[in-house]
Amino acid sequence: MAIREIVFHPNDTLRRKAAPIEQFDPALRALSKDMLETMQLAEGVGLAGPQIGVAQRIFVMRVRENDQRAEGDPLAGKPLVLINPEIVEESLEMVEGMEGCLSIPGYAGLVDRHQKIVVLARNEWGKPKRYVVEGYLARVMQHEIDHLDGILFLDRLKGDDKLFKVVEHEEEAASE
Ligand code: NI
């Protein structure tokens, strides 16, 4: 296992559309572990391939069990690895919420996201998975899937007044 270096905005890989993963091999499992470890060390709740300079369609996430925004969610506290994720359904209802990003340290912004989504993906073993997620978990997944398409939360701000400078290690600014 190894800690990977996180790349920061502005960066070319962060702006590229990442390629689908075709080989579900030990190297992919090692990459998944590295990403989970790197995310944990950086105190983030999500990390996508492009954020460590890997232009492939993979992200990891782990929402803290004690995060009020994920209260009662069965996926809270669980480390997840999503490969080639696709949003196949999304609610019409949008919700505004605060987001940060490990690649944009020191900032947070208010972004509209679908309240509920259905995501199809594979895990690191190639097993098909289906996630029905709402609220905060749905927000994190949308943020990470955006990363795979070269989109940052900055692109989704509705105005300059939606971006905030944050104090480091502030609880509210969990980064994705
Ligand atoms: Ni991010």
Side-chain angles (χ1 to χ4, degrees):
M1 273 194 278
I3 299 298
R4 306 290 187 108
E5 211 157 301
I6 293 174
V7 299
F8 300 112
H9 167 72
N11 170 278
D12 284 349
T13 307
L14 284 179
R15 289 314 201 167
R16 277 171 61 190
K17 195 172 163 72
I21 287 175
E22 283 160 19
Q23 303 261 55
F24 293 83
D25 56 10
L28 180 65
R29 256 96 65 193
L31 173 65
S32 307
K33 279 187 180 171
D34 286 358
M35 288 177 67
L36 282 166
E37 211 174 61
T38 302
M39 175 184 75
Q40 194 169 333
L41 189 76
E43 297 181 356
V45 298
L47 182 72
Q51 292 185 275
I52 53 160
V54 174
Q56 296 182 24
R57 302 188 80 78
I58 176 172
F59 75 79
V60 297
M61 64 183 274
R62 182 175 175 276
V63 167
R64 294 176 192 90
E65 277 157 311
N66 61 1
D67 193 319
Q68 288 182 350
R69 294 169 292 185
E71 208 177 348
D73 197 305
L75 291 178
K78 294 195 175 147
L80 304 175
V81 179
L82 278 82
I83 291 160
N84 301 338
E86 258 184 82
I87 297 174
V88 292
E89 279 178 58
E90 50 195 26
S91 65
L92 287 176
E93 186 193 345
M94 306 292 286
V95 281
E96 190 180 62
M98 196 64 94
E99 292 184 19
C101 183
L102 291 174
S103 295
I104 310 166
Y107 289 90
L110 283 168
V111 180
D112 279 347
R113 298 286 186 186
H114 297 282
Q115 199 276 331
K116 184 176 180 179
I117 54 172
V118 179
V119 177
L120 296 182
R122 290 186 185 269
N123 69 8
E124 66 272 44
W125 300 91
K127 189 178 171 199
K129 294 278 186 177
R130 182 172 181 272
Y131 295 98
V132 181
V133 284
E134 295 183 59
Y136 187 52
L137 274 97
R139 171 172 302 280
V140 176
M141 282 198 188
Q142 288 168 84
H143 177 112
E144 299 311 326
I145 291 170
D146 267 356
H147 271 303
L148 306 181
D149 292 322
I151 298 165
L152 301 174
F153 82 82
L154 298 176
D155 307 331
R156 297 201 182 274
L157 297 173
K158 284 185 293 182
D160 291 343
D161 62 331
K162 302 281 184 181
L163 186 67
F164 306 91
K165 194 116 180 68
V166 292
V167 182
E168 220 176 324
H169 295 303
E170 199 179 328
E171 231 5 80
E172 274 305 287
S175 294
E176 296 119 24

